[in-house]
Amino acid sequence: CGARCSKPPHLVAEIATLAEGNPLFAGELLRGALERSQEHRRVALEPAVSLRATVLDRLTSFDESARRILTTAAVVGNHFDPQVLARVDGGGTAEVLEALRGAVRAQLVIEDRRGGNFRFRHALTREIVYRELLAVEARALHRRIAEALDGAADRDELAYHWWAAYVPERAVPENEAAGDRAAAMYAYADA
């Protein structure tokens, strides 16, 4: 394969992040990137069709309410709090917990029994669910999440959601404050 197969470092890093150490996932992501680059298409990571089909098949077994809750969780991030999901979704905590119980059984999410939070079993699972949204749907959900998190302790997460919602009047000051916090901790790379 040689020099024509070399990939930009950011692509290799993205593969490593999404694969989370799983060689099968890393291989599938790399294979897809190589195929798209040989077709002279812009190389963006796409989960393999088989992985996508598997996750979406599991997702279709849920009712509409549970799918909506899991989609909202995917927009929140890889780790999420059921209380935040309930605030964003507008439903009750019991409905959110029932959806998460089913997602645990379907091996889409994992519960952190110590912290009471949840996370997607794999970053690719979250990515596949997130990519099912139209951009306009994702922006609206990011805005609702930012509004639900407003006043929360994790200001960096809030900054991310305002930015993803395309609300510059809220995103810019929050991101500047996040940079100031990072600089104050001598984390120049993060700042």
Side-chain angles (χ1 to χ4, degrees):
C1 185
R4 69 185 173 93
C5 289
S6 66
K7 294 290 152 220
H10 69 85
L11 186 63
V12 174
E14 192 174 349
I15 288 172
T17 299
L18 286 175
E20 292 182 327
N22 185 316
L24 171 67
F25 294 166
E28 290 295 314
L29 288 167
L30 180 59
R31 183 179 57 79
L34 288 172
E35 286 172 1
R36 282 185 299 286
S37 69
Q38 289 172 354
E39 296 168 3
H40 304 292
R41 292 172 27 197
R42 182 178 169 264
V43 178
L45 287 181
E46 291 287 333
V49 173
S50 60
L51 295 174
R52 187 174 174 276
T54 300
V55 170
L56 294 179
D57 184 53
R58 287 183 189 176
L59 199 59
T60 59
S61 69
F62 291 91
D63 64 26
E64 186 176 332
S65 172
R67 282 194 307 270
R68 186 186 65 246
I69 290 166
L70 291 173
T71 300
T72 301
V75 177
V76 168
N78 201 44
H79 295 81
F80 49 90
D81 179 341
Q83 301 301 322
V84 171
L85 292 180
R87 282 196 308 267
V88 172
D89 186 60
T93 304
E95 183 182 11
V96 168
L97 292 176
E98 187 59 34
L100 294 176
R101 185 175 290 109
V104 167
R105 281 193 302 266
Q107 297 188 1
L108 293 172
V109 300
I110 297 172
E111 178 185 14
D112 174 4
R113 293 190 172 269
R114 290 174 288 154
N117 291 323
F118 292 79
R119 70 175 176 84
F120 280 92
R121 184 172 200 85
H122 200 281
L124 278 175
T125 303
R126 178 202 171 256
E127 187 71 20
I128 290 166
V129 174
Y130 185 89
R131 287 185 185 202
E132 286 300 298
L133 288 167
L134 297 172
V136 68
E137 293 172 311
R139 279 194 301 272
L141 271 173
H142 279 291
R143 183 183 189 110
R144 288 190 2 229
I145 292 164
E147 290 167 349
L149 292 175
D150 210 4
D154 191 348
R155 305 301 295 174
D156 297 345
E157 187 176 352
L158 182 61
Y160 162 73
H161 287 293
W162 280 123
W163 187 260
Y166 294 100
V167 182
E169 63 274 9
R170 295 295 305 269
V172 170
E174 290 291 346
N175 278 285
E176 286 176 353
D180 292 344
R181 284 188 298 278
M185 295 185 316
Y186 300 105
Y188 294 112
D190 289 342

